[in-house]
């Protein structure tokens, strides 16, 4: 910008520049160009009679906000971006550490080895499969927590997830799961959920009470799942081809693949997927709206078909496995809704995405009510068991969330309210899922084992 600098807003410009660089997607040269553009707009606005503060706010608004600016630059620098993402881990770019790629590979190696470490602690691990899986999960999540805390420069944030992982490991080693298969399955399903919610603390840099941090963690979760799915698909194809080739050569490598390649690859992939999400954060266009438009109608049709089948067939009372499958599907649906919400503009008007979401959430709410009625009926007839207690709890947790979500979406469509109340509700509800999962893991096994 030509002429004297507006010194009163220099601190604001410095903070704006620091935020843009901290996103990890722009070089210093890019930030210089953006800053020059910002200063030019400020100068023009001040010449038109605005004060320096007013000029700064209007200029930032015209540029679309820091996150949108980063995305616009990514569109015109995509080739350089992906080259830097894969090859350049030591450029010293602002917001990224020198040697980030080697560090990521080191954490990935530790996470891979963590999947085999339980064999050193559980001698009879072949007869204690549940304990082995739980201990592996706890160690891998602990490694992932350490990686995120290292990236955030806040190693103290690992205390909570580290404690959660230690509790999970202690339960895996000390609890006699072989005599209680129901509680073993419950613990194995709920422990990853509790650990994942605890993972949000190092991801948020210790500021877990921030709703913005929780919303970012929801986005991270959705994109992490997508990358893990892609890595799993690629790894599965490669393993299948390798097995076929070696089998043709008369060499059986199936044992080595199942005991070493798959566990090591799965553990390492958790870190690689996190690195990919972090490296491209605020750079590429979010695919959440695309996923919503593709999967929301399909999921809604599937839920409607299940709901009709449950009504015509007399409910789900006769099948525990079907109830579990329905609960898993409802969790997936809620995850899809959360991920889609996290990518929308909170101040934008309601559109077709919101209408699709309303249909999906309403159908899921009705199906959840039918499932809850079925499990309550089974409980009254056959008594309380670990599975029934956990299923009733998770259905109540889902029912409350889906009911409020449907109500807030209805207000948005009928009154044109912004998305902000829905965002606040969902981000505030995230710890509830983690708390319930932790209760199932810690309370339910001893409750039924020593009753």
């Amino acid at each position: 910008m030509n002429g004297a600098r507006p010194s009163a807003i220099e601190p604001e410009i410095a903070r704006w520049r620091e935020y843009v660089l901290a996103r990890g997607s722009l070089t210093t040269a890019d930030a210089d160009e953006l800053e020059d553009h910002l200063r030019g707009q400020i100068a023009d606005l001040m010449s038109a009679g605005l004060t320096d503060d007013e000029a700064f706010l209007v200029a930032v608004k015209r540029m679309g906000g820091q996150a949108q600016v980063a995305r616009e630059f990514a569109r015109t620098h995509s080739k350089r971006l992906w080259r830097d993402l894969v090859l350049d881990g030591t450029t010293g770019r602002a917001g990224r550490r020198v040697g980030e790629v080697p560090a990521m590979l080191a954490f990935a190696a530790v996470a891979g080895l963590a999947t085999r470490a339980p064999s050193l602690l559980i001698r009879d691990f072949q007869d204690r499969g549940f304990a082995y899986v739980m201990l592996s999960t706890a160690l891998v999540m602990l490694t992932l927590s350490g990686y995120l805390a290292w990236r955030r420069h806040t190693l103290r944030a690992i205390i909570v997830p580290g404690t959660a992982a230690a509790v999970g490991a202690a339960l895996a080693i000390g609890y006699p799961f072989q005599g209680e298969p129901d509680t073993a399955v419950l613990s194995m399903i709920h422990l990853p959920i509790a650990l994942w919610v605890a993972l949000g603390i190092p991801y948020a840099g210790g500021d877990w009470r921030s709703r913005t941090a929780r919303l970012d963690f929801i986005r991270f979760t959705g994109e992490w799942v997508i990358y893990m799915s892609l890595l799993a698909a690629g790894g599965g194809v490669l393993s299948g081809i390798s097995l076929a080739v070696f089998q043709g050569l008369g060499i059986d490598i199936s044992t080595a693949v199942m005991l070493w390649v798959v566990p090591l690859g799965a553990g390492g992939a958790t870190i690689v997927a996190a690195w990919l999400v972090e490296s491209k954060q605020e750079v590429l266009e979010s695919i959440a709206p695309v996923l919503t438009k593709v999967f929301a109608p399909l999921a809604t049709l599937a839920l409607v078909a299940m709901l009709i089948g449950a009504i015509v067939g007399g409910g789900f009372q006769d099948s525990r496995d079907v109830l579990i499958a329905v609960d898993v599907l409802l969790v997936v649906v809620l995850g899809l809704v959360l991920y889609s919400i996290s990518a929308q503009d909170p101040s934008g008007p309601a559109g077709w995405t919101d209408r699709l979401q309303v249909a999906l959430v309403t159908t899921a709410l009705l199906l959840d009510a039918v499932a809850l009625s079925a499990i309550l009926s089974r409980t009254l007839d056959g008594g309380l068991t670990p599975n029934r207690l956990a299923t009733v709890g998770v259905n109540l947790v889902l029912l409350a969330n889906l009911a409020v979500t449907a109500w807030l979406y209805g207000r948005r469509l009928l009154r044109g309210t912004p998305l902000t109340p829905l965002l606040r509700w969902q981000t505030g509800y995230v710890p509830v899922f983690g708390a319930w999962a932790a209760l199932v893991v810690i309370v339910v096994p001893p409750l039924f084992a020593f009753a």
Side-chain angles (χ1 to χ4, degrees), residues 54-73:
E54 293 171 341
F56 172 77
L57 293 175
V58 173
V60 170
K61 182 67 176 178
R62 284 183 177 179
M63 294 180 71
Q66 294 93 325
Q68 183 175 340
V69 167
R71 289 196 293 269
E72 291 294 336
F73 256 69

Side-chain angles (χ1 to χ4, degrees), residues 111 114-118 131-141:
T115 63
R116 293 292 302 165
Y132 189 96
V133 172
M134 288 182 63
L135 185 54
S136 297
T137 301
L139 293 176
V140 170
M141 286 295 186

Side-chain angles (χ1 to χ4, degrees), residues 1-362:
M1 182 180 70
N2 298 327
R5 287 187 171 185
S7 58
I9 59 169
E10 284 301 317
E12 296 297 330
I13 294 177
R15 278 191 286 270
W16 179 88
R17 177 187 175 89
E18 181 181 358
Y19 180 88
V20 170
L21 284 171
R23 309 315 291 173
S25 59
L26 302 177
T27 64
T28 302
D30 294 335
D32 291 340
E33 184 176 345
L34 284 171
E35 182 180 343
D36 184 68
H37 181 54
L38 177 67
R39 290 182 180 277
Q41 290 207 35
I42 292 174
D44 292 341
L45 291 167
M46 291 180 67
S47 299
L50 295 182
T51 65
D52 50 3
D53 289 336
E54 293 171 341
F56 172 77
L57 293 175
V58 173
V60 170
K61 182 67 176 178
R62 284 183 177 179
M63 294 180 71
Q66 294 93 325
Q68 183 175 340
V69 167
R71 289 196 293 269
E72 291 294 336
F73 256 69
R75 294 192 187 101
T76 58
H77 294 71
S78 57
K79 292 183 179 179
R80 186 214 68 206
L81 165 68
W82 284 106
R83 183 189 68 236
D84 291 346
L85 172 61
V86 177
L87 300 178
D88 188 6
T90 57
T91 60
R93 183 186 309 170
R96 297 182 64 180
R97 287 191 176 190
V98 174
E100 181 179 317
V101 172
M104 178 273 295
L105 294 175
F107 275 101
V110 173
L113 293 173
T115 63
R116 293 292 302 165
S119 61
L120 302 176
L121 302 174
I122 304 176
R123 296 299 180 182
D124 55 341
F125 67 89
Q126 292 181 341
D127 298 325
R128 300 186 64 193
F130 291 118
Y132 189 96
V133 172
M134 288 182 63
L135 185 54
S136 297
T137 301
L139 293 176
V140 170
M141 286 295 186
L142 180 61
T143 306
L144 182 54
S145 297
Y147 173 67
L148 292 175
W150 174 82
R151 283 187 59 97
R152 300 296 190 278
H153 307 266
T154 54
L155 295 180
R156 288 184 300 174
I158 201 176
I159 294 176
V160 172
T163 302
V167 171
L171 286 172
I173 296 173
Y175 189 78
F177 284 114
Q178 61 269 28
E180 298 285 345
D182 284 351
T183 55
V185 172
L186 286 175
S187 298
M188 190 175 66
I189 292 174
H190 288 81
L191 179 62
I193 299 174
L195 291 176
W196 189 261
V197 174
L199 188 72
I201 295 176
Y203 181 85
D207 189 20
W208 182 239
R209 288 178 293 183
S210 168
R211 294 186 183 276
T212 301
R214 293 182 189 178
L215 188 60
D216 288 340
F217 182 63
I218 292 173
R219 295 191 188 101
F220 169 82
T221 299
E223 296 183 8
W224 184 88
V225 169
I226 292 171
Y227 277 119
M228 281 295 294
S229 300
L230 293 175
L231 291 172
V237 171
L238 183 59
S239 298
I241 293 174
S242 300
L243 286 170
V245 170
F246 278 97
Q247 186 177 8
L249 296 173
I251 303 174
D252 184 13
I253 64 168
S254 58
T255 301
V257 169
M258 295 305 298
L259 291 182
W260 289 97
V261 176
V262 173
L264 291 176
T270 61
I271 306 296
V272 175
W275 171 70
L276 288 171
V277 175
E278 291 283 273
S279 297
K280 75 158 201 64
Q281 189 178 27
E282 300 293 355
V283 174
L284 301 180
E285 285 292 332
S286 174
I287 65 173
V290 178
L291 288 176
T292 301
K293 292 176 182 178
V294 172
F295 287 104
L298 297 176
T300 302
L301 290 176
L303 293 178
V304 168
M306 294 178 192
L307 185 60
I308 294 174
I311 295 174
V312 174
F316 300 122
Q317 284 87 346
D318 298 329
S319 179
R320 183 186 70 175
D321 293 338
V322 172
L323 280 171
I324 295 175
V326 168
D327 288 342
V328 172
L329 179 59
L330 290 174
V331 172
V332 172
V333 167
L334 186 57
L336 180 63
V337 171
L338 286 173
Y339 185 43
S340 175
I341 290 173
S342 70
Q344 291 182 253
D345 180 8
S347 60
W352 281 106
T353 299
D354 299 285
R355 293 178 176 85
L356 289 173
Q357 297 283 64
V358 168
L360 180 61
V361 170
T362 303

